[in-house]
Amino acid sequence: MVALTQDELLAEFEGMTLIQLSEFVKAFEEKFDVTAAAAAPVVMAGGAAGGAAAEAVEEKDEFDVILTGAGEKKIQVIKVVRELTSLGLKEAKDLVDGTPKPVLEKVNKEAADKAAESLKAAGASVEVK
């Protein structure tokens, strides 16, 4: 008996019709007393999980508000940062001085947009990611 490599077997399977492949699977199951049905749900579940992951990437629901610059009204920006966060005066000033820094992380789209508008109104430059 000549042993075929995996690539040679795949080439043979590639030339078969679906009916021929189905008959082969049945014969294989009978010969080795196994079932291919157990593998099918695993493959299907893996495919479903992959599809769900792809949808999660498309529909982003958490955003970061990044302060990229304080602008000319630094004191106003510090006040807005304090309103948006629970930071004290020194921490808010350090955040504004150390731009680019995230002001809010993992917030919903509405909160991110509202924070970005407030910061822009105070004269800061902001990026929402």
Side-chain angles (χ1 to χ4, degrees), residues 48-119:
E55 288 179 23
V57 171
E58 292 174 13
E59 295 181 27
K60 187 174 178 182
D61 60 349
E62 291 183 341
F63 297 87
D64 296 340
V65 179
I66 314 269
L67 180 67
T68 57
E72 294 179 12
K73 300 178 183 177
K74 186 173 157 183
I75 294 172
Q76 293 295 71
V77 174
I78 292 170
K79 287 180 181 179
V80 172
V81 168
R82 289 192 66 205
E83 289 172 8
L84 295 172
T85 65
S86 60
L87 297 175
L89 181 59
K90 181 179 180 349
E91 292 84 6
K93 181 183 180 303
D94 291 344
L95 187 144
V96 172
D97 287 340
T99 57
K101 292 265 187 168
V103 176
L104 297 174
E105 295 179 315
K106 298 183 181 181
V107 295
N108 63 26
K109 178 78 171 151
E110 185 178 311
D113 289 341
K114 186 176 177 182
E117 288 177 25
S118 298
L119 287 164

Side-chain angles (χ1 to χ4, degrees), residues 37-50:
V42 173
V43 172
M44 291 173 64

